[in-house]
Amino acid sequence: MGRLQVVGAVVADGTGRDPIDVDVTVEDGRITQLGASGGEPGERLDAGGLTMTPGLIDAHVHLGLSSPIQPQFSFQISAAEIAADIFATAGAALDAGFTTVRDTGGIDGGVVTTIAKGKVRGPRVLSCGPVQCQIGGHGYYGADWEPTELWSGHHLPGLCALSMMSGNADELRGNVREAFRRGASFLKLCVTGGVVSAHDRLTDTQFTVEEIAVAVQEAAARGTYVTVHAHNNEGIRNAVEAGARCVEHGTDLDEPTAALMATRGVALVPTFAVVERLLHDPAEAGLGEPVRDRVLGVRERMTEALAVAKEAGVRIGLGSDLIGPAQDCRGKELSLRAALETPMEALVAATQTNAEILGLSGQVGVITPGAQADLVLWNGNPLEDPELFSDPTSAVLVIQAGQIVKDLR
């Protein structure tokens, strides 16, 4: 792989420290040195005038929902087209500066390994495989009168499997073990209703504490964790009591529940970009107009939840939750968060903090000797103009594990 020295960039290292002018040396896929290095042979990359950040991390993606959603789950789109859409979305994530993503439901293990083998372009992917849902709960997209037992017929082995339905703790245990067999590296459960749902409300809770604890037990047996889709406080508290380590969305999070999360070391991943997208045009994602009604007010409540979590000292990551086609502007999540906090806080959430949440602390998300050489060079300074995060063309150079995977210089 050789040696690469990136010189002349202003470096924001992902820790929140002020950016500095420093050269970065990369060898065999890892960062080996910050600062001027000697005259050893190797490629020299002039990055004068550019801003360097760690490769971005999106902690909430759905690569397997890259086609229009309702047509995808009514057999109107071929497996070949679904695969093409998944891999196009993976490549677009890389081009937007995201070198690592956590897929929170929809792909099967074959997608992870195909990208890892370099057969298609894409970020490093950690996946929960299919989401674990209760019968009739969030995550079920069958037709109204489609029997639940037919739902698994929508799975495409090795490619996509959105969710698995459980009627009780024993069924959940079996489904969780099946998810791990298919390559899951962590688990996700839906413990409340959802915005993009047909059969529940945001105020509904799903799964009991005892049922969630079964998944936590199975995850712990494999050295990993459970994250949960949760909008309301009762569902969040059920999950925290059962031992979940992360909460997705957290729309109605209140102060006592945030304090409980902080005490137990449970992280939060808010998701603003999907809310913006669904308010703007639900049809673009292949969804009906009723979704717009369900999402009204969510942005304001999630904004309040972010402030509540921050005040309580909860570790807060960043996730876009984009669904359907047109997932190319994934960095919009950073632009939205920068407006609610600061651009630096948004960057740290998308790098160092997300790496901690994913269990990759020190390996990715920071520019420091020993870390993976995942780097993005931006044309301009996104810490001064955070809208640059939303524009994939602003990420003029993307380096993944020491290899240049995008170069618009």
Side-chain angles (χ1 to χ4, degrees), residues 6-28:
V6 185
V7 301
V10 176
V11 177
D13 66 5
T15 67
R17 287 193 287 262
D18 288 340
I20 57 170
D21 296 305
V22 66
D23 298 343
V24 178
T25 303
V26 173
E27 292 184 61
D28 298 325

Side-chain angles (χ1 to χ4, degrees), residues 357-383:
I357 291 171
L358 270 58
L360 299 175
S361 186
Q363 300 175 55
V364 296
V366 287
I367 299 175
T368 189
Q372 192 95 5
D374 292 351
L375 309 168
V376 184
L377 288 156
W378 302 88
N379 186 17
N381 185 348
L383 297 175

Side-chain angles (χ1 to χ4, degrees), residues 151-339:
W151 174 242
S152 61
H154 292 273
H155 294 188
L156 298 170
L159 183 63
C160 59
L162 177 62
S163 54
M164 302 172 85
M165 301 295 138
S166 302
N168 55 50
D170 286 342
E171 289 180 9
L172 179 61
R173 193 183 297 275
N175 284 340
V176 159
R177 289 175 176 175
E178 174 66 11
F180 281 124
R181 183 194 70 77
R182 295 188 194 180
S185 56
F186 67 99
L187 297 175
K188 180 186 170 192
L189 274 64
C190 292
V191 302
T192 75
V195 170
V196 185
S197 286
H199 307 283
D200 59 33
R201 299 162 299 172
L202 287 178
T203 51
D204 292 354
T205 60
Q206 298 174 4
F207 285 130
T208 64
V209 174
E210 293 74 23
E211 287 169 332
I212 301 167
V214 165
V216 170
Q217 182 185 35
E218 291 292 329
R222 293 162 180 82
T224 188
Y225 68 97
V226 170
T227 190
V228 295
H229 158 105
H231 288 280
N232 65 62
N233 288 290
E234 189 176 351
I236 293 170
R237 295 177 82 90
N238 286 345
V240 172
E241 185 180 336
R245 302 301 301 166
C246 187
V247 172
E248 313 296 315
H249 315 300
T251 303
D252 289 312
L253 184 69
D254 63 17
E255 291 172 6
T257 308
L260 177 66
M261 288 176 63
T263 300
R264 300 282 182 89
V266 178
L268 174 68
V269 177
T271 53
F272 289 95
V274 68
V275 176
E276 289 284 314
R277 183 66 58 88
L278 292 176
L279 279 171
H280 170 67
D281 187 4
E284 184 182 51
L287 292 163
E289 197 60 30
V291 169
R292 193 198 302 269
D293 296 334
R294 294 177 70 106
V295 85
L296 284 172
V298 168
R299 176 173 52 192
E300 292 76 13
R301 300 193 327 262
M302 195 179 285
T303 299
E304 177 63 24
L306 173 65
V308 166
K310 197 171 175 182
E311 178 69 23
V314 174
R315 176 183 291 154
I316 307 170
L318 177 144
S320 68
D321 193 21
L322 293 176
I323 53 175
Q327 296 189 30
D328 51 333
C329 294
R330 192 166 298 282
K332 181 71 173 175
E333 188 69 28
L334 281 87
S335 303
L336 292 168
R337 281 283 291 276

